[in-house]
Amino acid sequence: MSLLIYAESADGKFKKVAFELASYAKKVADALGTTVTAVTVNTDNTAELGNYGVTKVLKVANDKLANFNAKAYADVIKQAAQKEASKVIVLSSTTDSLYLAPFVAVGLEAGFASNVVGLPISTSPFQVKRTAFSNKAFNITEISTVIKVLAIGKNSFGLVESSTSLTEETFAPTLNEADFSVKVESVEKASGKVTIADADVVVSGGRGLKGPENWGMLEDLATVLGAATACSKPVSDLGWRPHSEHVGQTGKPVATNLYVAVGISGAIQHIAGINSSKVKVVINSDAEAPFFKVADYGIVGDAFDIVPRLTEKLKEFKAQNS
């Protein structure tokens, strides 16, 4: 009756969120007096999960699952939960997992809580803390069903190493052909050193950068910080940057440790999508820009002067402390 997690991967390698999920699940499992089982799909080095408290891995290898399919993946997780008699299933809050989570909950007749930002407040009754109203508030949700599905907010728990003895088991769930009625014709992947989904730091630009030819200075800053680059909706709409870099409520929501906004005024939809980030730094020449109202740190000035100087100072700092 172990707790079950779905450990997400890409190109056969675990995403960082998989280890955060395992860390979270280990703490919950300890409170419930049970262990953590992970189900993986077409993933290579599953032994890594043992560093974060997982004691058993159900390994699914099937070419039909090469491309993400919400209904098929949800059915795999459902069958894994039934096999392990799991009463708590923990998923991430990535785009893929939030897409499949309702299918998992319906299939298992389970209660579902998304945007969970902490360990259960109570296990009897089962209560969790969640963000609400585009991350402007919190609520306490009680799940009364026998089986419970949780989606954990990114960067809400962190990585906690807890080495365990891990066993691996081949798992061959039954795949329903009806789940594959939607066919994947092609997959376009964002290129870059760090992806937005896995980034702890994001450097984002808006129309204040005046054109795509000026993005080099943001990329230089991102390189120094080990960050991903992103943009506001108008920038992606103008074709200055790919839509895969658009962050915000209507793009990719992020919950980074550090979010640096350069030349972004701070429309409500953008702020709602990045509001879970822990530290927000805003650089803008307009002292009245709405973004300053939610910023932890703000710099009023010309980005074309400030960003290069900031990058050089960070390079000097890193050189002195490496």
Side-chain angles (χ1 to χ4, degrees), residues 153-176:
K154 183 177 180 290
N155 273 339
S156 62
F157 189 75
L159 303 183
V160 181
E161 292 195 14
S162 178
S163 296
T164 55
S165 178
L166 183 81
T167 61
E168 300 179 333
E169 178 182 323
T170 299
F171 180 49
T174 302
L175 299 181
N176 185 349

Side-chain angles (χ1 to χ4, degrees), residues 93-149:
S93 287
T94 63
T95 302
D96 286 353
S97 281
L98 286 178
Y99 189 10
L100 63 82
F103 289 116
V104 174
V106 169
L108 292 171
E109 297 184 349
F112 171 49
S114 60
N115 303 319
V116 176
V117 293
L119 294 171
I121 295 169
S122 166
T123 57
S124 182
F126 199 95
Q127 297 178 327
V128 291
K129 182 179 180 180
R130 306 169 56 235
T131 58
F133 305 115
S134 298
N135 301 315
K136 294 184 181 69
F138 297 102
N139 68 33
I140 306 302
T141 297
E142 181 175 322
I143 308 176
S144 58
T145 52
V146 174
I147 302 175
K148 302 157 182 66
V149 177

Side-chain angles (χ1 to χ4, degrees), residues 14-173:
F14 285 119
K15 298 178 181 179
K16 177 192 169 186
V17 70
F19 303 126
E20 183 174 19
L21 213 60
S23 302
Y24 177 91
K26 172 68 167 109
K27 292 294 185 181
V28 179
D30 288 346
L32 295 174
T34 186
T35 57
V36 181
T37 296
V39 57
T40 67
V41 178
N42 296 333
T43 308
D44 299 329
N45 188 16
T46 55
E48 293 177 288
L49 292 172
N51 297 327
Y52 298 93
V54 175
T55 58
K56 182 179 181 180
V57 176
L58 300 178
K59 299 178 66 173
V60 178
N62 194 309
D63 289 341
K64 294 190 70 173
L65 299 171
N67 291 313
F68 176 75
N69 178 305
K71 292 184 71 175
Y73 274 51
D75 205 23
V76 168
I77 297 167
K78 170 190 168 183
Q79 292 179 55
Q82 291 172 332
K83 177 182 183 301
E84 296 298 305
S86 299
K87 296 296 185 289
V88 178
I89 296 89
V90 183
L91 308 173
S92 68
S93 287
T94 63
T95 302
D96 286 353
S97 281
L98 286 178
Y99 189 10
L100 63 82
F103 289 116
V104 174
V106 169
L108 292 171
E109 297 184 349
F112 171 49
S114 60
N115 303 319
V116 176
V117 293
L119 294 171
I121 295 169
S122 166
T123 57
S124 182
F126 199 95
Q127 297 178 327
V128 291
K129 182 179 180 180
R130 306 169 56 235
T131 58
F133 305 115
S134 298
N135 301 315
K136 294 184 181 69
F138 297 102
N139 68 33
I140 306 302
T141 297
E142 181 175 322
I143 308 176
S144 58
T145 52
V146 174
I147 302 175
K148 302 157 182 66
V149 177
L150 310 179
I152 310 304
K154 183 177 180 290
N155 273 339
S156 62
F157 189 75
L159 303 183
V160 181
E161 292 195 14
S162 178
S163 296
T164 55
S165 178
L166 183 81
T167 61
E168 300 179 333
E169 178 182 323
T170 299
F171 180 49

Side-chain angles (χ1 to χ4, degrees), residues 137-316:
F138 297 102
N139 68 33
I140 306 302
T141 297
E142 181 175 322
I143 308 176
S144 58
T145 52
V146 174
I147 302 175
K148 302 157 182 66
V149 177
L150 310 179
I152 310 304
K154 183 177 180 290
N155 273 339
S156 62
F157 189 75
L159 303 183
V160 181
E161 292 195 14
S162 178
S163 296
T164 55
S165 178
L166 183 81
T167 61
E168 300 179 333
E169 178 182 323
T170 299
F171 180 49
T174 302
L175 299 181
N176 185 349
E177 288 301 319
D179 291 343
F180 296 91
S181 57
V182 176
K183 304 296 182 184
V184 177
E185 295 292 339
S186 65
V187 177
E188 294 182 10
K189 294 186 178 181
S191 59
K193 295 180 181 178
V194 183
T195 64
I196 293 173
D198 295 328
D200 287 327
V201 181
V202 167
V203 176
S204 189
R207 282 180 294 184
L209 290 179
K210 299 181 181 179
E213 67 277 3
N214 296 318
W215 233 259
M217 68 178 186
L218 281 197
E219 292 170 341
D220 290 342
L221 177 58
T223 298
V224 175
L225 292 172
T229 56
C231 68
S232 62
K233 186 178 187 297
V235 165
S236 63
D237 287 346
L238 288 166
W240 293 0
R241 300 298 293 177
H243 284 281
S244 59
E245 291 192 5
H246 166 206
V247 297
Q249 190 174 35
T250 57
K252 291 183 178 178
V254 295
T256 56
N257 291 325
L258 172 63
Y259 185 82
V260 182
V262 182
I264 300 175
S265 61
I268 187 64
Q269 293 88 350
H270 188 87
I271 292 174
I274 63 90
N275 210 32
S276 290
S277 295
K278 294 177 181 176
V279 177
K280 294 174 279 292
V281 176
V282 174
I283 301 171
N284 202 299
S285 60
D286 179 8
E288 300 301 317
F291 222 140
F292 284 117
K293 295 179 181 179
V294 298
D296 296 286
Y297 300 94
I299 303 173
V300 178
D302 185 355
F304 295 97
D305 173 45
I306 294 167
V307 172
R309 289 167 58 192
L310 177 60
T311 302
E312 288 307 311
K313 288 293 183 182
L314 287 170
K315 287 180 180 178
E316 292 173 12

